[in-house]
Amino acid sequence: MPSPAASHHSSVNRQAGQPRFQAAVIGCSAGGLEALKIVLGALPPNLDIAVIVVAHTAHDGDHLLPSLLGNICKLPVSEARERDPVEPGRIYVAPPNYHLLIEPNRGFALSVDERVCFVRPSIDVLFCSAADAYREQLIGLILTGANQDGALGLKAVKDAGGYTLAQDPSTAYADTMPKAAIETGAVDRVLPLDALAADILRACTLSVES
Amino acid sequence: MMDHAKIQEIEISLFLQALFLRHGYDFRDYAKASLKRRVLNIASAAKVDSVAELIPRLLHDRDYLAEVLAELSVPVTEMFRDPTVFKALRHTVLPRLATYPRFNIWQAGCATGEEVYSLAIMLEEEGLLDRAQIYATDINDNALQSAEDGIFPLRCLEEYQRNYQAAGGKAKFSDYYLANAGFFRIHERFRKKIVFAHHNLVSDGVFCEVQLILCRNVLIYFNNDLQRHVLKLFHDSLVRGGFLCLGTRESLRAVEAEKLFIPVNRDMMIFHKNGEAP
């Protein structure tokens, strides 16, 4: 069995000037669209990591999410397509009613497995698989939401050596999800909604210079 | 030092090897990320600390296989899932089937049967059920048994009714089942048109000649090699101009499938066998 791509990119082997982070995963639920607009809309067009989003949306308009976000983002936004390689400088959104996963070769995979925390797509499913694929090269962010999904996933990101963020619950439309993430003890930084994009950018920039 | 994730990867690989060598079920060419999740679910259900601890049980406890297969083969489906696909089948494919005096349909990976009953209902509404022979196959015998019983939880009924209407249903959904305490049962006349059978897409060959294959959201679990293998199997199973319907978000880009299939309706992932007119 070939070793996963991640093992070729461990921090030990990382060369000077090579960015530490390759991807960011973002999860949100209730109130998520507004939060995503603020975070994703503030990311610059030259960002060189991939941004992968799971948003719980309970209605049939789910497939509109890429175009809703595409209108306000400087990076191209599209629905994640099964088997496509994850590319930097793009924002990907999970398709409605499928779990979105990252394979060890850093390509997208879908599943119709049971709902997790009553939802599909599940943030935990994306985050856990992305943590396996990217190890310490991953940023995880939990935004507003009214359930517990994402807490386990964010802990997996942290356990693999990644950088973890949560929206300050007091700035969240629904605070259950960021609170649950914070309670795992796996969150590196808790920041208000309007400071998150700048921190992601800071982390990406610092990791190139150091 | 080797980290936990790497060791876990070795354990999962050994577990799959044991499953194959002991029981002949080969999951080694499944997509890794979702398979890992399911193997970890099995470990968690067995309350063991590591996947390796499952291996002795898999080797020595005969009854354990069914439990493992039930977890690995993901029997998750619903009636008239993606109603627009059923609508497209009704308008694009069923008129072609109507040109045959008798025809065969194969649903591969039927899980607990919701989709194959949806199809049977649609065939009846188009006046084609009497001419149809439907085969529904899966590797999960527990799921097949449920499918054959045709009994589904009542709590799903409202959603299925909505799907049925969105799929262009021509009657009342309640014409097709009998409701009971907590369950509803699909009418006998549909059940007797369907042959439920054990078939493994990974290891078993062509078993009949069919005009239409439905295999939705099964190939997403396979790696490219296994996708290629299964698409070839479907190609060999279809008659001239036969139809294939896959899941709407599935990808055939990695496997040069255009040599085998040509899109009839790409959005709905309906194809016909290449090389002949539809």
Side-chain angles (χ1 to χ4, degrees):
Chain A
M1 183 187 291
S3 60
S7 63
H8 300 305
H9 295 271
S10 74
S11 55
V12 183
N13 299 325
R14 186 156 53 91
Q15 292 163 355
Q18 189 186 344
R20 174 184 163 192
F21 295 112
Q22 298 284 329
V25 285
I26 300 178
C28 62
S29 184
L33 180 58
E34 293 312 307
L36 286 174
K37 282 180 177 170
I38 289 167
V39 176
L40 300 178
L43 295 175
N46 61 346
L47 188 77
D48 64 353
I49 64 169
V51 179
I52 309 156
V53 177
V54 161
H56 303 154
T57 34
H59 40 77
D60 297 333
D62 297 4
H63 61 282
L64 296 174
L65 196 59
S67 59
L68 288 174
L69 293 173
N71 288 335
I72 51 114
C73 287
K74 299 170 196 81
L75 295 165
V77 184
S78 57
E79 193 175 275
R81 296 202 308 172
E82 200 218 352
R83 265 159 240 258
D84 273 5
V86 184
E87 287 176 359
R90 304 187 67 92
I91 296 170
Y92 298 96
V93 179
N97 215 9
Y98 288 82
H99 291 305
L100 177 64
L101 302 97
I102 312 296
E103 285 287 301
N105 69 4
R106 300 184 178 182
F108 287 113
L110 300 177
S111 97
V112 289
D113 287 15
E114 289 85 350
R115 291 178 168 82
V116 174
C117 294
F118 310 104
V119 288
R120 187 175 53 219
S122 146
I123 300 165
D124 281 340
V125 170
L126 170 67
F127 279 32
C128 289
S129 62
D132 281 343
Y134 287 98
R135 312 300 297 165
E136 76 286 351
Q137 297 179 311
L138 183 67
I139 298 169
L141 166 60
I142 295 293
L143 297 170
T144 171
N147 64 14
Q148 308 278 317
D149 188 29
L152 280 176
L154 201 69
K155 186 167 184 318
V157 174
K158 178 70 179 169
D159 288 346
Y163 178 54
T164 52
L165 293 164
Q167 179 180 359
D168 181 344
S170 70
T171 70
Y173 174 86
D175 63 8
T176 312
M177 211 155 85
K179 269 186 176 165
I182 293 163
E183 276 164 21
T184 63
V187 175
D188 289 316
R189 280 194 141 181
V190 177
L191 292 169
L193 184 58
D194 57 8
L196 287 163
D199 192 69
I200 290 171
L201 199 57
R202 180 197 59 81
C204 292
T205 314
L206 272 183
S207 76
V208 178
E209 288 168 356
S210 62
Chain B
M1 206 189 90
M2 191 177 274
D3 67 8
H4 175 68
K6 185 76 194 163
I7 293 168
Q8 199 170 55
E9 192 188 315
I10 295 170
E11 288 184 277
I12 291 170
S13 156
L14 291 171
F15 175 81
L16 298 178
Q17 180 88 355
L19 180 59
F20 175 61
L21 292 175
R22 172 67 179 84
H23 299 286
Y25 285 92
D26 194 353
F27 285 84
R28 295 173 300 175
D29 283 333
Y30 273 49
K32 287 192 186 339
S34 59
L35 186 63
K36 175 184 174 178
R37 245 194 118 72
R38 272 175 270 132
V39 173
L40 294 183
N41 283 345
I42 294 171
S44 158
K47 297 186 168 61
V48 294
D49 293 326
S50 74
V51 172
E53 291 177 55
L54 299 170
I55 295 172
R57 194 166 170 197
L58 188 62
L59 294 177
H60 301 295
D61 177 356
R62 261 206 89 77
D63 298 334
Y64 193 47
L65 174 66
E67 217 174 297
V68 168
L69 286 182
E71 184 62 46
L72 289 185
S73 65
V74 217
V76 179
T77 178
E78 57 188 71
M79 291 192 79
F80 295 98
R81 186 182 203 266
D82 303 319
T84 48
V85 173
F86 280 91
K87 211 173 204 169
L89 285 171
R90 190 192 290 265
H91 292 132
T92 311
V93 177
L94 267 46
R96 303 295 310 177
L97 296 184
T99 65
Y100 296 93
R102 303 197 63 77
F103 56 86
N104 295 330
I105 295 175
W106 175 21
Q107 178 162 28
C110 69
T112 40
E114 285 86 338
E115 284 196 348
V116 78
Y117 286 116
S118 309
L119 187 71
I121 287 170
M122 212 166 64
L123 287 167
E124 183 180 77
E125 292 188 349
E126 299 303 317
L128 296 172
L129 188 62
D130 290 341
R131 286 192 248 166
Q133 176 62 61
I134 307 172
Y135 301 92
T137 64
D138 207 279
I139 58 167
N140 180 341
D141 290 331
N142 295 344
L144 276 175
Q145 188 57 57
S146 300
E148 198 157 5
D149 293 341
I151 298 172
F152 304 109
L154 212 48
R155 65 182 147 76
C156 301
L157 192 57
E158 205 177 312
E159 186 188 8
Y160 294 172
Q161 245 155 3
R162 256 200 321 274
N163 286 352
Y164 166 75
Q165 269 146 20
K170 291 182 167 175
K172 288 191 308 234
F173 192 55
S174 56
D175 293 347
Y176 302 126
Y177 65 85
L178 289 170
N180 222 311
F183 293 92
F184 69 95
R185 181 165 215 196
I186 299 293
H187 197 277
E188 183 68 30
R189 67 182 185 277
F190 299 108
R191 280 183 284 137
K192 70 181 185 202
K193 291 301 294 187
I194 305 168
V195 173
F196 292 94
H198 185 103
H199 181 274
N200 188 338
L201 289 170
V202 180
S203 53
D204 297 340
V206 173
F207 77 101
C208 63
E209 190 176 62
V210 296
Q211 276 76 7
L212 167 64
I213 295 173
L214 271 96
C215 183
R216 298 173 69 212
N217 297 318
V218 176
L219 296 182
I220 54 176
Y221 293 105
F222 297 168
N223 72 13
N224 292 346
D225 289 341
L226 189 48
Q227 275 200 348
R228 253 179 235 115
H229 168 80
V230 174
L231 286 170
K232 179 74 169 49
L233 176 66
F234 289 163
H235 188 264
D236 294 345
S237 302
L238 285 169
V239 301
R240 282 172 60 88
F243 290 91
L244 170 67
C245 179
L246 302 174
T248 53
R249 294 306 205 281
E250 294 193 78
S251 161
L252 298 181
R253 287 186 300 285
V255 298
E256 294 177 326
E258 65 276 10
K259 287 179 185 157
L260 298 176
F261 297 100
I262 293 174
V264 175
N265 182 337
R266 187 178 282 284
D267 287 343
M268 298 300 122
M269 291 297 277
I270 298 170
F271 301 84
H272 73 78
K273 183 170 170 168
N274 195 3
E276 303 108 354

